[in-house]
Amino acid sequence: MALTIAAPSQEEVRRRNLGALLRYVHIHGATSRAELTDRLGLNRSTIGALTADLTTADLVSEEIPRKTGRAGRPSLVVRPRSSRVHAYALSIEVDRLRAARVGLGGKILDSRAADRPPGLPILETVGTLAGFVRDMRRAAPADSRCVGGGVAVTGMVRGADGVVRISSPVGGVAGTVGEALGSTLGHDRALVVANSADVGALVEHTRGAAAGYDNVIYLHGDVGVGSGIIAGGRRVTGHGGYGGEAGHMVVNPHGRACGCGSRGCWETEIGEQALLERAGRAGATGRDAVLAVLDAALDGDRAAEAAIRHVADWLGFGVVNLVNIFNPNMVVFGGTLRELYLAGAAQVHSRLSTMALPGCRDHIRLRTPVLGDDVPLMGAAELAFERLLEDPLVAGTG
Amino acid sequence: MALTIAAPSQEEVRRRNLGALLRYVHIHGATSRAELTDRLGLNRSTIGALTADLTTADLVSEEIPRKTGRAGRPSLVVRPRSSRVHAYALSIEVDRLRAARVGLGGKILDSRAADRPPGLPILETVGTLAGFVRDMRRAAPADSRCVGGGVAVTGMVRGADGVVRISSPVGGVAGTVGEALGSTLGHDRALVVANSADVGALVEHTRGAAAGYDNVIYLHGDVGVGSGIIAGGRRVTGHGGYGGEAGHMVVNPHGRACGCGSRGCWETEIGEQALLERAGRAGATGRDAVLAVLDAALDGDRAAEAAIRHVADWLGFGVVNLVNIFNPNMVVFGGTLRELYLAGAAQVHSRLSTMALPGCRDHIRLRTPVLGDDVPLMGAAELAFERLLEDPLVAGTG
C-alpha cells in the first residue's frame, strides 16, 4: 500500500538530518563524529555523508583532533565554520542601537553600537543600523558569507510581518522595520524581527541558562517589562504574535496609569520608573540610573534599600502569577531585572513560598541569563540562523 | 545514503494515517471516501486501504449513500462504529459524580449520575464510579468493545501519574484516582485523569466552540475556577502537569484569603462564594444557588444585579490579564462562568476594551461551550479516545 504523501521523501529526511547535525555543532561547538553518531541517533555512514555535504557547502570543516587518549584511529572533529558563515544581528534598545556580525556557532565576530537619541522613532533607526551593517560587511573577509539577519526590538512586535504595534518606550511608530532594513541593505528578503524578550527566551533556551528546560519564562526589564515564554519546548506566540506581554498583566487594580492605557500593569510596579521614584531619583532614567540605585543600596543607602525591597516584592508577586498559570521549571531574569532579582532575591523567594501553589513551586529554578547583555544580539542572530538550520543547503543571502 | 533512523517506517506511516482517518470520522461523523481523500491529502487507493484495515478492526463501517445528486458510482461513506466501540467517561464534580459510556464519534450511549456527599474525598468516590461502569458494562451490547477510560476531576491534577495534589473544593486528598479506578475495574492500565478545565479545553478545541482556533483559553467555574490553555494548537501543561491554574492568579493584592494559602486569587473574586455573598446569600452553595442569583437578577432583584455586575467585572479583569499574556483568539466560558458571562458580558467587554492591549484584543472571540454541561464527560471520553487514535489497531481494553 502506497502512502506517498504522508511519508517524507528521502530529500526531506536528508534536509532534516543536515539541519539536526548543523544545529548540534552550532550549539555545542566542535564535536567528534563519534559523539554526533551517539547524540543524533544516526549511524556512522550517515553522519559521514551528512558531514561531507555540509563540508562541500562550506558550513563545517573537519579536522583530526590534536591528541586523543585512546589508541586507534581518532574520530574526526566537525567544527562550524564560524569565520566563513555569519548572520547580522541588530538590537534596537531604549537608549542604544547595537549591531553585530555573529558567526555560525554563536560567536560575535564584529560589533558596533551607538546611543539612540531619546524618542527617536524605530523606523528612523534604520539608517544607523544599516550603516553599521555596511561597515561590518566591508570589514568582513572576502570569502565569508552572510546567511541572514535578525532584529531584536524592545517593545511589542507583530510576528508575521514585523509591524511594531505598541512600543511606547521605544518610539511608538508602527513600521515594518524588517522590510525597511532588508531593502536598505539590498537583501532579497526582510530581516526577521522579534521582541527582545522573545529572542531572549529563544537564545537562553537554545544555549543559555534554560538549555534543557522545556517550560521557561524569560523576563526582560528596561523602561518596561517584556516576557518570552517557552511552553512544552515551543515559544508561545499567541494568535497575532503578541503572546507573552506579561508586563501588561494588571497586578495592582489601584495602581498607577500605564502607557498602554490600563492601570496597575506589572511594569508600572517593577519598571525603571517605579524603582527610581521610590529611591528618590524621580528625574533619572536608563540602565545606568537603575544600576546606581543598586550600588547605593550596597553602600547602605536606606531609600535605595527600601526601594529595592518594595519593587522586588512586586517582581515576586507577578512571577508567582506566571508560575501558577504556566507551571514552568525555570524563570530567567534579564535586562535590568537581572540586577533587581540579584539584589532582591529574598523578596522574590518569599512571594513564591507564600503565594505559589505547591505543585507549581516545586522544582522551579530562578536564574539570570548566561549571555548577559548580549542576550538581544545573540537572540537576533539566532532568529537568522533558524532559517539556515531548517534547510542548510538552500539558504541564500538573507 | 541510508537514513534509516530518522525516516519513519512504512509501519509508522500507516499507523499515523490510520489514526488521521479515524480521527477525522470520530470528529466529523460519517464522511465519504471522496471527502476523506480531499481532506487528508492522501490518494484514493490509500484511503481505500486504510478504510479496509479499520473496517476489519471493526472501528468503522462502509455503506453506499442513500441518495446522491450526481451521476456515476457514488463514493462510499465511512462511518465510525459508535455502537460497537466505546470509552467510559467519568466526571468527579464538586457535588456530583457522573459516568457515561461514550461511543466512538462522541455519542453518549448510556449514563449514570449521583450526588456527591459534601466533602467526600476523591478516593472514596471510586466505589460509586466503578459501580456505574460495571452497571453500564452489563447493559452494553455483547459485541461491543471498550477502548479505555478517562476521568475529569475538578481540582488540580498531576498529569503523568494521576496524583491529585490540590483540590480543596473537591476533597483535598492526594490519591491515584486513575490507578484505583483502573484496578477496581480490572482494566490493564490506569484510566487517564485530567483537570475538568483541561478536558474542557481539549474537547471544545476538538469538536466544540474552539474548533479551528489554535490559541484558546477555556475557563471552568464551580466552587473555584480552573483553566485549560491551548497555545499554538497544543495544551499548555507545564512542567509537572499543573499548567493553567489561572484561578490562582492574584488579581486583588488586598483581597480575601484563598483556600490555596494566598490572598486575592482570581477565584476569590469570581468563584461561587463571591457571587453568593455579594448577592446577600452567604449561606448558599452550589450551581443551583448560582443560577438562582442569575434568575433573581432577571426578575429585577437589585442585589443580584449588582453582584453580577461586580463579579463579572472581576471576570473581565482576569480575562484581560490572560489575553495580554497569551494573545488567544478565543476565550470559552464554561461551568458556572457560562451563566455569569452571559449575564455580565457588558462588564467583560468593557474591561477588554479599556485594559487589553490593542494587538491582543483584536480578533478575539468570547464564546460559551457548545457541549454545555456535558463538557467534562465528553472531555474525559476524549482523553480515552486519544490513545485509540494514536494507534488504532493496537489499543486493547483500556
Side-chain angles (χ1 to χ4, degrees), chain A residues 44-390:
Chain A
R44 284 173 60 181
S45 65
T46 301
I47 292 290
L50 294 170
T51 306
D53 284 351
L54 293 172
T55 303
T56 305
D58 230 9
L59 293 166
V60 303
S61 61
E62 284 197 290
E63 60 194 45
I64 298 163
R66 281 185 204 135
K67 220 176 175 177
T68 64
R70 294 191 300 187
R73 207 175 63 174
S75 179
L76 289 167
V77 166
V78 182
R79 185 184 297 277
R81 299 210 71 154
S82 302
S83 59
R84 296 277 275 272
V85 181
H86 60 254
Y88 288 105
L90 307 174
S91 176
I92 302 175
E93 301 170 22
V94 176
D95 48 13
R96 268 195 305 183
L97 299 174
R98 292 200 284 163
R101 191 166 65 84
V102 181
L104 186 63
K107 193 176 168 190
I108 294 184
L109 302 169
D110 195 358
S111 66
R112 300 287 186 278
D115 285 345
R116 178 180 178 193
L120 185 72
I122 288 185
L123 268 181
E124 295 181 25
T125 67
V126 166
T128 303
L129 291 170
F132 286 161
V133 173
R134 280 194 214 97
D135 199 33
M136 290 191 288
R137 199 190 272 162
R138 275 192 297 273
D143 61 352
S144 68
R145 178 160 67 104
C146 168
V147 294
V151 189
V153 183
T154 305
M156 183 178 275
V157 174
R158 176 179 282 267
D161 58 7
V163 175
V164 178
R165 284 289 297 274
I166 282 197
S167 56
S168 40
V170 194
V173 175
T176 51
V177 182
E179 268 181 38
L181 272 165
S183 71
T184 304
L185 291 169
H187 282 201
D188 56 4
R189 53 180 172 181
L191 273 66
V192 194
V193 182
N195 183 293
S196 295
D198 280 333
V199 304
L202 171 63
V203 71
E204 286 289 325
H205 181 240
T206 304
R207 58 170 76 244
Y213 288 76
D214 268 359
N215 292 279
V216 179
I217 293 172
Y218 179 88
L219 299 170
H220 178 86
D222 43 57
V223 171
V225 172
S227 65
I229 294 162
I230 309 273
R234 299 197 316 178
R235 276 197 290 162
V236 171
T237 56
H239 172 61
Y242 297 119
E245 283 298 323
H248 296 282
M249 161 176 73
V250 176
V251 294
N252 187 356
H254 306 295
R256 281 181 286 191
C258 178
C260 76
S262 183
R263 179 172 293 282
C265 291
W266 198 21
E267 73 174 43
T268 66
E269 297 293 347
I270 66 167
E272 255 175 46
Q273 283 313 305
L275 182 71
L276 292 167
E277 282 175 24
R278 285 242 155 215
R281 298 165 186 228
T285 58
R287 182 180 172 81
D288 290 344
V290 169
L291 298 182
V293 173
L294 298 161
D295 284 344
L298 289 175
D299 292 340
D301 178 326
R302 291 290 172 83
E305 284 174 1
I308 289 167
R309 274 199 306 275
H310 180 88
V311 176
D313 183 58
W314 278 112
L315 176 63
F317 186 99
V319 165
V320 168
N321 278 358
L322 296 176
V323 162
N324 284 350
I325 294 171
F326 284 102
N327 185 202
N329 46 357
M330 179 168 284
V331 178
V332 182
F333 298 89
T336 52
L337 293 180
R338 176 182 185 278
E339 277 69 34
L340 179 63
Y341 168 68
L342 292 173
Q347 278 71 37
V348 175
H349 285 279
S350 165
R351 281 291 187 183
L352 266 177
S353 62
T354 55
M355 282 173 54
L357 296 170
C360 291
R361 72 172 176 246
D362 297 349
H363 315 297
I364 196 166
R365 284 160 199 272
L366 308 184
R367 291 285 183 275
T368 56
V370 166
L371 301 165
D373 278 359
D374 289 333
V375 162
L377 277 180
M378 293 290 284
E382 220 56 58
L383 283 179
F385 286 127
E386 278 297 317
R387 286 181 173 172
L388 174 71
L389 300 176
E390 270 163 29

